[in-house]
Amino acid sequence: MSGETTVTVIGNLTGDPELRTTGGGATVVNFTVASTPRSYDRNSGQWVDGQALFLRCSAWRDLAQHVAQSLSKGMRVIVQGRLQQRSYQAQDGSNRTIVEVQVDEIGPSLRYATAQVARTSMSSGFRATYGTPQPQQPQSQQSAPSSSTVEPASDTVQDPWGVDSTEPEF
């Protein structure tokens, strides 16, 4: 969308994503990402943490479901979305303004982890979750996965974008 301020933030989730349904039936998930800059201090020979930025984020509909099922407190994520500002009146009568990110894309950071991504049972996209590797079934018995895992690398994990030998290559 033209004219909107887009941002990309890399940081850690400060808590588990909070999934809820609005009065109109839409699904939304809210969470906070903490991003702390680090710089190297040559005098001390150590890395120094800067002031943390805490950004409140929200995702809607299918993406909300995927976030709630896939991510949890402490996970390092990459969030891309649009900055939005809204004002409201607090219970004490004071006027407040907050800035939050309306999430368009989110995923686990692979800097300190590995990921296994599989198609969701919905036709709208992909999802990744942290968890324990699941035993693989032979291809003839395997149905479409309803979720996926982000897990330590394993030789038994199948590539969801791998070439199926029954399909012609272009």
Side-chain angles (χ1 to χ4, degrees), residues 2 10 27 29 33 51 56 66 72 75 95-96 104 106 110 113 140:
S2 179
I10 302 170
T27 306
V29 68
V33 174
Q51 186 172 352
R56 194 73 181 147
H66 298 170
S72 61
M75 291 183 179
N95 292 324
R96 300 203 180 158
D104 293 321
I106 184 170
L110 300 181
S140 60

Side-chain angles (χ1 to χ4, degrees), residues 118-121 136-147 158:
R119 293 181 189 266
T120 63
S121 58
Q136 297 292 319
Q137 297 176 351
Q139 195 69 9
S140 60
Q141 296 176 0
Q142 209 168 27
S143 61
S146 61
S147 68
Q158 295 178 347

Side-chain angles (χ1 to χ4, degrees), residues 99-170:
V99 175
E100 60 188 1
V101 177
Q102 293 294 317
V103 178
D104 293 321
E105 299 285 341
I106 184 170
S109 169
L110 300 181
R111 185 169 191 173
Y112 304 114
T114 60
Q116 173 62 39
V117 181
R119 293 181 189 266
T120 63
S121 58
M122 298 171 236
S123 62
S124 62
F126 300 91
R127 126 174 114 223
T129 60
Y130 281 76
T132 307
Q134 300 297 318
Q136 297 292 319
Q137 297 176 351
Q139 195 69 9
S140 60
Q141 296 176 0
Q142 209 168 27
S143 61
S146 61
S147 68
S148 63
T149 58
V150 173
E151 55 200 25
S154 170
D155 293 338
T156 62
V157 176
Q158 295 178 347
D159 180 4
W161 290 283
V163 177
D164 185 355
S165 60
T166 61
E167 295 181 19
E169 291 187 35
F170 295 97

Side-chain angles (χ1 to χ4, degrees), residues 42-91:
R42 291 183 183 178
N43 294 332
S44 68
Q46 296 179 349
W47 287 95
V48 178
D49 288 340
Q51 186 172 352
L53 170 68
F54 293 88
L55 274 176
R56 194 73 181 147
C57 302
S58 60
W60 293 82
R61 298 172 192 74
D62 288 346
L63 182 56
Q65 291 284 344
H66 298 170
V67 168
Q69 293 173 357
S70 303
L71 302 174
S72 61
K73 179 180 179 177
M75 291 183 179
R76 187 173 176 87
V77 294
I78 302 170
V79 177
Q80 186 275 323
R82 294 163 279 129
L83 277 182
Q84 294 192 337
Q85 175 179 303
R86 64 183 171 91
S87 299
Y88 66 97
Q89 191 169 35
Q91 290 180 344

